[in-house]
Amino acid sequence: MKFCSLASGSSGNCQYVEYKDTKIIIDAGLSGKKIEENLEKIGVKASEIDAVFVTHEHIDHIKSVGVLSRRHDLKVFSNMMTLDGMLPTVKKLDPKNTFIFENGKSFTFKDLEIMPISTFHDCASGCGFVIKGNKKISLLTDTGWVNQDAMEKMDGSELFYLESNHDVDMLVHGSYPYPTKQRILSTKGHLSNENAAEVLSMILKKKQEQVLLGHLSTDNNLPDLALKTINDTLASENKIENTDYKIDVAPRFVPSEVYEL
């Protein structure tokens, strides 16, 4: 099973998962051309992709969903409220390539078992995904809170792609307008470095899991700060040392390492 973050952050999000004969992307928040280029960088042609799975309707997650679906005959999976929310942006989707799932109900697509898990964000009905092939991958971003149900569904994953959006002090003392700060800090905003550490403290099993931090803010976070906050918090509060797991930060514009599980 393979995983790669093709791009991550408010400038555009797209992740890649491969298992056996199945190749999918999660979100398509960059231009179609850029996603095609980033796929080429990891040796994958866009024409080989089977489907795009959509987390929510914000532009940094859906920008080229319609373009890629029409250009490469891709299937598009989302829940009904997300589909309604994204149609003004993605425009026409071929009915034969449009599929609806329900958050909290697992389903099978080719070689993969997909479990959409509800997120808490200022969107119609956001979700993350727990994806199983021969291994288990959990993807969770754009949420201000992670509930017990989500953590139970993510339990036992070999790879976690998890939001670590902001450092609270940088955000509070930064230049964003007050209402924007309040939105980001709310339970329908984004996970902070501290929040990400809290989630990891409850789901890591000290089994050399791979953690990839995603959706970092350019204005209110730094990769080194996110890594230090999480490593220090896990070590001091939960006695989980950074030798018990592997951790990286997803690059903003270019593909990450391709993780082979």
Side-chain angles (χ1 to χ4, degrees):
M1 200 168 180
K2 296 180 181 180
F3 175 85
C4 177
S5 175
L6 298 174
S8 179
S10 57
S11 47
N13 297 273
C14 184
Q15 282 70 48
Y16 172 79
V17 176
E18 176 182 336
Y19 178 57
K20 291 185 178 180
D21 295 324
T22 305
K23 297 178 179 180
I24 66 170
I25 55 174
I26 311 299
D27 292 334
L30 299 85
S31 70
K33 180 181 179 181
K34 185 62 177 177
I35 290 175
E36 291 165 348
E37 290 174 352
N38 282 1
L39 283 167
E40 289 279 357
K41 289 176 182 177
I42 64 170
V44 177
K45 295 180 181 179
S47 59
E48 299 171 6
I49 301 299
D50 298 298
V52 52
F53 289 75
V54 182
T55 61
H56 65 293
E57 74 276 11
H58 289 170
I59 190 67
D60 57 324
H61 294 261
I62 63 160
K63 184 174 184 178
S64 63
V65 167
V67 170
L68 290 174
S69 179
R70 292 186 291 272
R71 186 180 295 166
H72 300 290
D73 198 31
L74 295 188
K75 294 174 174 61
V76 177
F77 287 80
S78 73
N79 63 46
M80 192 70 237
M81 291 178 70
T82 295
L83 177 63
D84 288 344
M86 72 179 177
L87 279 177
T89 299
V90 303
K91 308 301 183 186
K92 186 178 179 181
L93 292 175
D94 191 328
K96 74 176 177 63
N97 283 333
T98 306
F99 298 85
I100 302 300
F101 58 72
E102 292 185 42
N103 290 3
K105 293 188 177 181
S106 66
F107 60 96
T108 299
F109 175 69
K110 295 188 68 177
D111 301 304
L112 297 171
E113 180 184 337
I114 313 288
M115 169 60 82
I117 52 177
S118 293
T119 54
F120 299 84
H121 195 51
D122 56 348
C123 60
S125 181
C127 69
F129 294 102
V130 176
I131 301 174
K132 293 181 185 178
N134 63 332
K135 301 291 183 180
K136 184 175 178 179
I137 294 171
S138 291
L139 302 92
L140 189 65
T141 68
D142 296 78
T143 190
W145 180 50
V146 182
N147 64 9
Q148 188 63 34
D149 180 67
M151 284 189 280
E152 288 175 0
K153 287 180 169 62
M154 293 190 293
D155 186 64
S157 296
E158 281 83 9
L159 184 147
F160 297 95
Y161 175 76
L162 182 67
E163 176 169 66
S164 191
N165 177 257
H166 59 277
D167 173 78
V168 173
D169 285 342
M170 287 183 69
L171 175 62
V172 169
H173 296 102
S175 60
Y176 280 14
Y178 180 76
T180 303
K181 293 178 182 180
Q182 290 300 103
R183 181 187 70 81
I184 294 169
L185 290 167
S186 76
T187 54
K188 290 194 173 182
H190 291 276
L191 295 181
S192 67
N193 296 337
E194 294 83 356
N195 295 149
E198 182 181 3
V199 171
L200 290 169
S201 73
M202 290 184 274
I203 56 180
L204 288 178
K205 299 288 192 293
K206 301 184 180 183
K207 292 184 177 180
Q208 288 293 296
E209 299 100 325
Q210 178 66 56
V211 176
L212 189 60
L213 303 178
H215 219 298
L216 271 70
S217 168
T218 52
D219 299 301
N220 302 306
N221 210 350
L222 297 166
D224 287 347
L225 179 57
L227 290 170
K228 184 177 189 306
T229 299
I230 287 168
N231 284 328
D232 288 354
T233 302
L234 291 177
S236 63
E237 295 183 7
N238 301 90
K239 309 305 179 188
I240 302 175
E241 302 295 337
N242 60 10
T243 53
D244 296 324
Y245 58 95
K246 304 169 188 174
I247 188 166
D248 293 306
V249 173
R252 177 168 291 272
F253 298 111
V254 298
S256 69
E257 172 187 340
V258 178
Y259 299 93
E260 297 198 32
L261 306 176

